Every structure is written in C-alpha cells, then in structure tokens.
Amino acid sequence: MGDSEAVVAGSSAIMDYTSGAYSSTASGAPTEGTYAASGGDPSSAGQEGQINAMYESKPASGSTDENASGARNTTVDVSAAGYNSSLNGDAVNEAVNAATVQNGNVFDNVGGASAAPEFVDGSVPPMSGEEDRLWSIVRANSLDFNAWTALIEETEKVAENNIMKIRKVYDAFLAEFPLCYGYWKKYADHEARIGSMDKVVEVYERAVQGVTYSVDIWVLYCAFAIETYGDPETIRRLFERGLAYVGTDYLSFPLWDKYIEYEYMHQEWSRLAVIYTRILENPNQQLDRYFNSFKELAGSRPLSELRTAEEAAASALGVSSEADGQVNEGEVHPDAAEQTPKPLSAGSTEAEELEKYVAIREQLYKKAKEFDSKILGFETAIRRPYFHVRPLNVAELENWHNYLDFIEREGDINK
C-alpha cells in the first residue's frame, strides 16, 4: 500500500464496517443522482455525468453559480474527520495546516504580503497584467468572490503546467472560501493532471475537513478512490467515513448510490442487503426507490446470499431475530438488541423465511416514511441545499429555524 493509499486507509477511525456487511444490486446498478442541479431544487436528480458537468461550471458575474460556496473564519477540527496526520508525514501536516488558515491571515500564509505566488526557491513566476490586477483586488478585499473566481480562471489560462501558480491561487481562495466543494474538485483535477496522486489525496483530505458535511465532496473523493485504489477495504473505509457524516442527510442519495454501484460490481449480495437496510432506517428523498430496489434484490437472489454471516448463523441455530439485518460488523442497534429471538417453525420454508426477512425491512421503511411525512414540508422549502456566498432570504432562514426547532423537540441532537 502506497503512502497515498495509507492516508485513506488510516482515516477510518469512525464507523468501520468493513467485514462482510455490504453488497450490490441485483437488478443492475442504480441511476446516479445529484442535487443542486436545477437551481437548488432538492427534487432535481440526474445522471452521474451531470455531477461532473456541474463541478466544472464557472460562476456568473452575479455569483450565482450553485457550486460557489463560501464561509468565513472556518477552522478545521482534524480529529473529527478521523484523520491521522502521522501517516503521510510532513506532507499531510502541511495539507492540514493549509486547511486551517483563517481569514485575515490568508496572504501571510500563501505567498507573502504581495499575494504573488512564489516558487520553492523564492523566485516569483511571471504573471500576466490581468493576474497582477486581480491579485491586487483580492489583496485589498479578500471577500470579493467574483475577483477570486476571475483570478482562478486567468491563472488557469496562463499557468499551463505551472502547478506552483495553480496551487497558490487555489490555496489562497480556499482558505477564504473553504465550503466551495466544486473548487476543491477542480484543484484535485489539476493535481491529478500535473501533480501527483499523493497531492490529489492531500487536496481531498483538506476538502473533507473544510466542508465535512457536503455529500458532493464525499462522492467526488470516493469516485477518485474507486479509480485509484485496488483494495476494496480501503475504498469501503472511505465510504464509511463519508456516511458517518452525511449518511442521514435527506439528500445523501448520491453517496449511497455510488456505494451501491461499487458493491454491485463486486456482486457480494449480503453486503448490498445490509446497505439497503441501513438506508431504510432514515428518511431520504429517494426512500421509495431504495425500498423497491431492495425488494427486487430480495426477489432475485437466494436468501442464503442475502444474509450476513451473523444472520446465517442465527438461522442455523433455528432462531430468527426481529433485528436481523440490523447487525453490522457485530454491532446491533440498541432498539434491535431488545427484540426477543423467535423460533422458526420446523417446517419453515425458504419462501417463508424470505418473507419475514423482507417484512422486517419493510417495517424500517414504514417507520422512516412516517417521519418523512413530518419533515417533508421543511425539506421541500429548502431551495438551496448547497453552500453559497449569497445570503439566504428571510423565508428560507425562517424555514431553517423552524426545522431546527422541530428536530430539537424530537430529541435527535446529532441530526
């Protein structure tokens, strides 16, 4: 395992479910979806190709690009990401340090007071007149988002293969606006093109620390891991890191879809059945689709292929727990642990056992749908489920406050 792979593998401190719990779809890989593709309408979903096209779009002069996210005074909690900076030595520490640059110090950390990029030897690469003009603007007003995006575009146009110039402009911009997940993707793409894979990993690690609760950035990071790493456990650990943060997001379906697609390729059906079970426990914009996909899977594979090792062992002992399917890596949900095992009748057929297996998950689905009906109004009123420098209007802010009040009354502080 190389250094960059070790970074991913070592970042799995949170929710490690890697021993036999996931799988793939029986009826074909699901359609990939994305949100924020139609003016921020949460109901909009598209093919995987749209997600990449969306990341490449440039913001309009009015800063209306839905990928243009912004935040100020953002400091990263590295430990929250389960990230072990010792795995990759100084390079990783530098990446973390760059991610924690605070406003007001941005130019002190990325090229000195002149805000001009420098080479390692201290020399300054030649800049175009437009670059020089734009650097002067952002140095005077580091919150001028349009000037920043114009500077990035100009730098990309004149830099060609000068990775130092590209790094400097992205480091400076993302220190000021770390929630712009689309620009983290563009930065990583530059590193992949003219840098190194280790540098790509560093950029993605900084990205998931800077915009930890973005479904999109985790989808992008996992897609990169799938293309880069050969070890399935390394990839699964990364999926689990992301799902630990955004797996219960109402619009988390792009990440779940990517995970399902990956496990489908491996055709380990019990793993996939567990993924579906986990999804069905929480409200999700695509909950109906997932339940139908699960039923298709259950109807197309033998029960012996769907059960985990723990479920198969329980069946061999002649008991069927109401909590089967809620066991992940030996962990049982608290409410599931209280269920009393029920004996299977001696003449129980596989069809009857399959019916019980599906019924348990249908109960999870119905419970999630019941809660979904309570939050649907809040979710559909969210017109901007992504980050943006433009302030929300009064109605949207009011909806967020009401939604938070409702969730607090429900007692789900984590949510």
Side-chain angles (χ1 to χ4, degrees), residues 286-353:
Q286 303 290 316
L287 193 63
D288 292 340
R289 172 170 66 87
Y290 285 123
F291 182 58
N292 290 332
S293 295
F294 166 72
K295 288 192 296 184
E296 290 179 15
L297 172 66
S300 64
R301 311 303 308 181
L303 184 57
S304 59
E305 293 185 3
L306 300 177
R307 283 173 166 161
T308 64
E310 293 85 356
E311 291 164 352
S315 177
L317 293 174
V319 296
S320 175
S321 169
E322 291 293 325
D324 78 346
Q326 296 186 23
V327 180
N328 294 329
E329 285 279 305
E331 296 181 8
V332 183
H333 289 235
D335 56 341
E338 297 174 1
Q339 300 287 347
T340 303
K342 298 182 179 180
L344 294 173
S345 60
S348 178
T349 65
E350 178 166 334
E352 291 172 333
E353 291 187 43

Side-chain angles (χ1 to χ4, degrees), residues 143-401:
L143 297 181
D144 190 335
F145 187 83
N146 290 332
W148 274 114
T149 56
L151 175 58
I152 290 172
E153 186 172 355
E154 177 67 15
T155 302
E156 290 174 330
K157 183 170 66 176
V158 303
E160 296 181 348
N161 293 331
N162 188 336
I163 191 62
M164 297 303 297
K165 289 184 72 171
I166 291 172
R167 285 172 182 166
K168 289 296 183 181
V169 72
Y170 274 99
D171 285 343
F173 170 76
L174 290 166
E176 194 68 58
F177 301 101
L179 300 182
C180 295
Y181 71 86
Y183 285 90
W184 286 111
K185 165 66 161 65
K186 287 161 67 70
Y187 190 0
D189 286 347
H190 283 300
E191 291 290 2
R193 180 175 60 89
I194 52 180
S196 67
M197 286 301 103
D198 283 349
K199 286 293 186 180
V200 177
V201 173
E202 286 180 22
V203 170
Y204 274 121
E205 280 297 327
R206 289 168 56 190
V208 298
Q209 291 159 21
V211 59
T212 308
Y213 293 94
S214 167
V215 174
D216 299 275
I217 199 64
W218 286 107
V219 171
L220 291 166
Y221 195 2
C222 289
F224 162 77
I226 290 171
E227 294 176 358
T228 305
Y229 304 118
D231 177 26
E233 297 310 309
T234 297
I235 296 168
R236 287 174 182 137
R237 282 194 292 269
L238 185 60
F239 271 112
E240 292 300 334
R241 279 183 64 199
L243 290 169
Y245 291 110
V246 303
T248 61
D249 190 300
Y250 195 71
L251 299 178
S252 60
F253 58 88
L255 185 58
W256 285 111
D257 283 351
K258 179 63 72 175
Y259 202 179
I260 289 170
E261 178 190 5
Y262 177 73
E263 293 296 0
Y264 175 76
M265 292 189 299
H266 290 270
Q267 298 188 5
E268 296 182 22
W269 309 114
S270 64
R271 291 180 180 273
L272 183 58
V274 170
I275 289 177
Y276 277 124
T277 301
R278 293 167 62 191
I279 295 172
L280 296 176
E281 291 181 290
N282 295 286
N284 185 299
Q285 191 199 64
Q286 303 290 316
L287 193 63
D288 292 340
R289 172 170 66 87
Y290 285 123
F291 182 58
N292 290 332
S293 295
F294 166 72
K295 288 192 296 184
E296 290 179 15
L297 172 66
S300 64
R301 311 303 308 181
L303 184 57
S304 59
E305 293 185 3
L306 300 177
R307 283 173 166 161
T308 64
E310 293 85 356
E311 291 164 352
S315 177
L317 293 174
V319 296
S320 175
S321 169
E322 291 293 325
D324 78 346
Q326 296 186 23
V327 180
N328 294 329
E329 285 279 305
E331 296 181 8
V332 183
H333 289 235
D335 56 341
E338 297 174 1
Q339 300 287 347
T340 303
K342 298 182 179 180
L344 294 173
S345 60
S348 178
T349 65
E350 178 166 334
E352 291 172 333
E353 291 187 43
L354 179 61
E355 184 177 357
K356 293 177 183 178
Y357 180 86
V358 173
I360 290 169
R361 285 143 186 85
E362 185 172 9
Q363 288 303 309
L364 295 175
Y365 162 73
K366 288 180 177 179
K367 185 177 179 180
K369 285 290 287 184
E370 181 180 349
F371 193 73
D372 180 84
S373 67
K374 298 178 182 179
I375 65 173
L376 186 60
F378 298 119
E379 291 288 349
T380 54
I382 297 171
R383 308 312 301 169
R384 192 195 299 171
Y386 49 88
F387 305 104
H388 201 292
V389 293
R390 187 177 64 248
L392 288 169
N393 62 40
V394 174
E396 289 176 285
L397 283 173
E398 183 77 10
N399 179 64
W400 278 112
H401 285 302

